[in-house]
Amino acid sequence: MGVPDADIHPTATGQAADTVAQHQSPQELVFWSGWFCPFNQRAWITLEERGIPYQYKEVNPYKKEKHFLDINPKGLVPAFEYKGKALYESLILCEFLEDAYPDHKPSLLSSDPFTRAHARIWIDFVTKSIIPAWQRLLMAQGVEKQDAAREELYTAQRKFAEQVKGPYFSGEEFTLVDVAVAPWITREYILAEHRGYKSADVSNEWKKYAETLATRPSVLKTNSDKDKLQPIYDRYLRDEAQSEAAKAIRAGRGLP
């Protein structure tokens, strides 16, 4: 049995709530957000990094507004409503902001074709290797399955860390590669508390990189209080979550 709806906090809290309060005025870009979702946080970090004006609207996952479903039939966050038209999928939204707001600096993708393509390779690695392994460890039941999932995650993170130039993935500049992985780094404490995860067991390079990302202002400004996240992750820890991501992991499919 899952966590009752009433146990899920309806809005952002902590530093994220302060950020929400600053983005209530109408704008040409409406950010339909779910404060609890790591995919959602990617788009939010990007908006904050680049100083793009947006209006924040929280989506209740159990009582989605008709207008939201009209513009976004998938009903998933994050989503943008831009000049009355809807877009969704977190990384697509991040790249859209690069194209739609070129004058807002810094850019998170290089204008150099090779560097841009190289970044996309490692963004794809995060999506296909790190996040599925992270989710499998979160949901794994029993010591044997947890040990295997933990080692899978360590291997993926270790491979990624070997590419980090420091302090960020590409060096001094924070880029979309960092955005792609940051929300799961801020949630590593869940794996540490419940699944025996230790960032130092990945590598010293990963540990240092993770600590750097976790303290980035745009990441901190989009984090809600840990105690409000716990009821959501408790469902995953019991392997009872019914999100699309959870269903995909159980079925052995790629993330939606």
Side-chain angles (χ1 to χ4, degrees):
M1 182 172 148
V3 175
D5 296 1
D7 288 349
I8 304 300
H9 200 275
T11 58
T13 56
Q15 291 192 55
D18 295 336
T19 304
V20 169
Q22 296 167 16
H23 293 278
Q24 293 302 298
S25 300
Q27 302 289 344
E28 70 172 5
L29 179 68
V30 179
F31 175 36
W32 293 89
S33 173
W35 67 267
F36 51 85
C37 175
F39 295 96
N40 186 86
Q41 193 176 9
R42 285 170 160 177
W44 204 358
I45 289 170
T46 301
L47 286 165
E48 286 298 313
E49 277 289 332
R50 302 194 61 226
I52 295 170
Y54 65 93
Q55 182 180 13
Y56 183 101
K57 289 193 177 183
E58 190 74 54
V59 176
N60 183 322
Y62 303 104
K63 297 178 182 178
K64 295 171 183 175
E65 296 181 28
K66 181 180 182 301
H67 177 70
F68 174 66
L69 293 174
D70 286 344
I71 64 166
N72 180 12
K74 289 185 73 172
L76 299 176
V77 293
F80 288 164
E81 187 176 357
Y82 178 71
K83 299 180 180 179
K85 298 178 181 179
L87 293 169
Y88 39 88
E89 302 296 347
S90 64
L91 292 172
I92 291 174
L93 296 182
C94 293
E95 291 214 24
F96 163 77
L97 294 174
E98 292 287 317
D99 297 330
Y101 296 91
D103 295 333
H104 282 262
K105 305 297 181 183
S107 173
L108 299 183
L109 274 176
S110 173
S111 58
D112 174 70
F114 179 85
T115 304
R116 200 176 182 100
H118 183 261
R120 287 183 173 130
I121 288 172
W122 287 98
I123 290 168
D124 187 65
F125 181 83
V126 169
T127 299
K128 292 180 179 177
S129 297
I130 291 181
I131 297 173
W134 200 103
Q135 289 289 143
R136 276 191 280 275
L137 177 55
L138 178 71
M139 296 168 61
Q141 304 298 301
V143 173
E144 186 174 333
K145 288 184 178 180
Q146 289 173 13
D147 287 348
R150 190 185 313 108
E151 192 53 44
E152 178 192 4
L153 177 58
Y154 284 172
T155 298
Q157 291 176 329
R158 201 171 288 136
K159 184 175 181 180
F160 181 93
E162 290 171 356
Q163 299 295 316
V164 173
K165 293 181 178 179
Y168 300 108
F169 182 83
S170 298
E172 294 296 327
E173 294 184 358
F174 183 83
T175 70
L176 194 53
V177 184
D178 305 304
V179 171
V181 73
W184 286 268
I185 283 176
T186 68
R187 290 161 173 78
E188 281 186 351
Y189 71 91
I190 297 165
L191 300 182
E193 291 176 3
H194 300 279
R195 292 292 185 260
Y197 174 89
K198 296 179 182 178
S199 62
D201 286 351
V202 179
S203 67
N204 289 332
E205 292 78 13
W206 175 266
K207 183 175 185 293
K208 186 176 180 180
Y209 174 70
E211 289 170 349
T212 299
L213 280 199
T215 56
R216 181 80 178 180
S218 62
V219 175
L220 293 173
K221 289 169 65 177
T222 54
N223 280 344
S224 282
D225 294 334
K226 291 180 178 180
D227 66 314
K228 302 301 188 300
L229 271 175
Q230 193 62 47
I232 296 169
Y233 281 99
D234 282 344
R235 294 180 301 174
Y236 286 89
L237 290 165
R238 295 192 300 268
D239 195 15
E240 295 175 356
Q242 295 302 315
S243 68
E244 294 304 313
K247 292 175 184 177
I249 292 296
R250 287 191 199 98
R253 303 192 307 268
L255 292 173

